[in-house]
Amino acid sequence: MTPSTSPAQPNADVSADGPPQFDAAFRAQLAELFAWRRDVRRFRPDSLPEGALDALIRQATLAPSVGFSQPWRFVTVHDPDRRAAVAENFERCNAEALQAYSGDRARAYARLKLSGLREAPEHLAVFAAEATQRGHGVGRQTMPETLRYSVVTAVYTLWLAARAQGIGVGWVSILEPELVRRTLEVPESWSLVAYLCVGYPQEEHSDPELARYGWEARADDDEVIIRR
Amino acid sequence: MTPSTSPAQPNADVSADGPPQFDAAFRAQLAELFAWRRDVRRFRPDSLPEGALDALIRQATLAPSVGFSQPWRFVTVHDPDRRAAVAENFERCNAEALQAYSGDRARAYARLKLSGLREAPEHLAVFAAEATQRGHGVGRQTMPETLRYSVVTAVYTLWLAARAQGIGVGWVSILEPELVRRTLEVPESWSLVAYLCVGYPQEEHSDPELARYGWEARADDDEVIIRR
């Protein structure tokens, strides 16, 4: 798209209805959504309704992106061989990760369930198209990583939209990104940001599984808020 | 925190009320929130209510994090000299970025307003504590960048929670991360993920400013959804 050469006059806003008003009841429910989102690893076998995943992806494209670059690329993975290759890669990487621990910590690690790749009805890989021309480089000369960060916000948009429908998402990061990229036969210039399992959760919780199983506790405000 | 050595038995869930039920009306409002979020660069001078920014930060800590590492570090920036140093760095980096364009595109770039650093009532820098022991490394052996991605989800949580209160957020990435880190005197092991302007927006829009000013258009679904 060629930029307008006329004086800075924005196009008309698309909506005729004016901005939405969000009330206290909505904000309370939004806070509940944040609190009950969860990273899901225990899925029921039920399929999602036809079109549900595409609808979630479309919501995800409302996420912010640096320079409006929209670098997100959503790869729905249905082929059983490709899914199996990803699951095997997870299992190998997870076995290697276990070697980094010893004693009680190793025993605790071995008890954790860190992916639902074998059970989830949907697999969704999300890449950043590093070479996209969209956005014409705005905002990423000094912080090029913001391109991938834009993809993260899209992943999280999908995650929240899914949870609001009772659909669970689990982000699997114990994978070799290059193996996943080759398995899915996507361009070399795309970098894997997230590999997601999507489906209905077996359980609902307001606390992270890693907290519930004693792996890590919630930090106090003093640890994360600093004043300058 | 030492992991439990007892057999895998999770602690009791905190909530006594059971999981929230989200209905179609909430989902419709959530979709509106995603659609009207916006990256804000035009702020009114009004201060936020006392405690509002801290409350937003607390909501942000409900974001997902790899291994429950909670690596987000929120630095509220009130000192005028530090704020001015950041704004000056933006202005220099932005002038340099302009040099990368020519012709119509350079003229269009020069017309864009890419930060509200001089007007926003609040500055908030958000870092990733790269050396945190929280999470004990779970999930980030093969994809260490997920630590920073966790911070991105916290930023976006804050952004959505803010918009639901009518508060605007603008993410400024035209900055030198190391200069910002030194200006704010935070540990060398922290990496800057986002520098945010926070305040009440002058305008509300359902389309990105870069689309409205003709810099970039919204991508079609075919560009971003791939099937394998």
Side-chain angles (χ1 to χ4, degrees), chain B residues 135-146:
Chain B
H136 306 277
V138 165
R140 50 190 164 106
Q141 308 279 335
T142 56
M143 299 186 74
E145 63 272 29
T146 50

Side-chain angles (χ1 to χ4, degrees), chain A residues 75-91:
Chain A
V75 183
T76 62
V77 185
H78 291 116
D79 179 72
D81 293 340
R82 298 192 209 261
R83 286 187 179 208
V86 172
E88 282 157 24
N89 188 247
F90 164 77
E91 285 149 15

Side-chain angles (χ1 to χ4, degrees), chain A residues 38-61:
Chain A
R38 293 291 70 74
D39 187 287
V40 174
R41 303 100 190 259
R42 297 163 201 276
F43 292 95
R44 290 169 20 208
D46 327 34
S47 301
L48 298 188
E50 181 73 27
L53 187 59
D54 275 23
L56 290 173
I57 293 170
R58 259 177 241 115
Q59 281 214 55
T61 65

Side-chain angles (χ1 to χ4, degrees), chain B:
Chain B
M1 180 180 191
T2 306
S4 158
T5 53
S6 61
Q9 279 298 331
N11 303 323
D13 209 328
V14 187
S15 168
D17 295 339
Q21 300 298 320
F22 300 108
D23 62 11
F26 172 74
R27 286 191 290 274
Q29 284 192 288
L30 182 65
E32 288 274 277
L33 181 66
F34 293 144
W36 285 82
R37 174 201 36 80
R38 290 295 68 75
D39 188 286
V40 173
R41 304 100 190 257
R42 298 164 201 275
F43 292 95
R44 288 166 21 206
D46 327 35
S47 301
L48 298 187
E50 182 74 27
L53 187 59
D54 275 23
L56 290 173
I57 293 170
R58 260 177 240 114
Q59 282 213 55
T61 66
L62 295 173
S65 62
V66 62
F68 202 31
S69 54
Q70 306 161 77
W72 35 71
R73 299 293 181 268
F74 296 92
V75 182
T76 61
V77 186
H78 291 116
D79 179 73
D81 292 341
R82 298 192 209 261
R83 286 187 179 207
V86 172
E88 282 158 23
N89 187 246
F90 163 78
E91 285 149 13
R92 185 162 58 72
C93 292
N94 198 41
E96 285 171 14
L98 172 61
Q99 304 305 314
Y101 302 97
S102 60
D104 285 353
R105 189 55 73 176
R107 281 185 285 278
Y109 188 93
R111 282 199 305 266
L112 298 174
K113 177 166 173 57
L114 295 171
S115 109
L117 287 166
R118 296 283 187 188
E119 306 90 44
E122 299 284 352
H123 284 199
L124 179 64
V126 194
F127 291 85
E130 303 273 355
T132 186
Q133 294 302 306
R134 282 199 188 268
H136 306 277
V138 165
R140 50 190 164 106
Q141 308 279 335
T142 56
M143 299 186 74
E145 63 272 29
T146 50
L147 198 82
R148 294 185 288 282
Y149 293 173
S150 304
V151 177
V152 174
T153 64
V155 167
Y156 188 43
T157 306
L158 183 147
W159 201 340
L160 292 169
R163 179 61 187 82
Q165 293 178 38
I167 296 172
V169 172
W171 179 326
V172 183
S173 59
I174 305 174
L175 289 170
E176 291 170 301
E178 178 57 16
L179 181 137
V180 175
R181 194 198 61 71
R182 277 188 281 108
T183 299
L184 302 183
E185 295 181 84
V186 299
E188 282 184 33
S189 60
W190 292 11
S191 54
L192 181 71
V193 170
Y195 198 93
L196 306 176
C197 296
V198 185
Y200 292 103
Q202 288 180 8
E203 309 166 352
E204 302 280 14
H205 294 281
S206 64
D207 55 345
E209 182 155 335
L210 291 177
R212 212 155 54 247
Y213 280 81
W215 181 264
E216 185 56 89
R218 191 169 284 284
D220 292 331
D221 287 354
D222 288 353
E223 184 174 325
V224 302
I225 308 183
I226 296 93
R227 315 207 184 260
R228 288 289 186 270

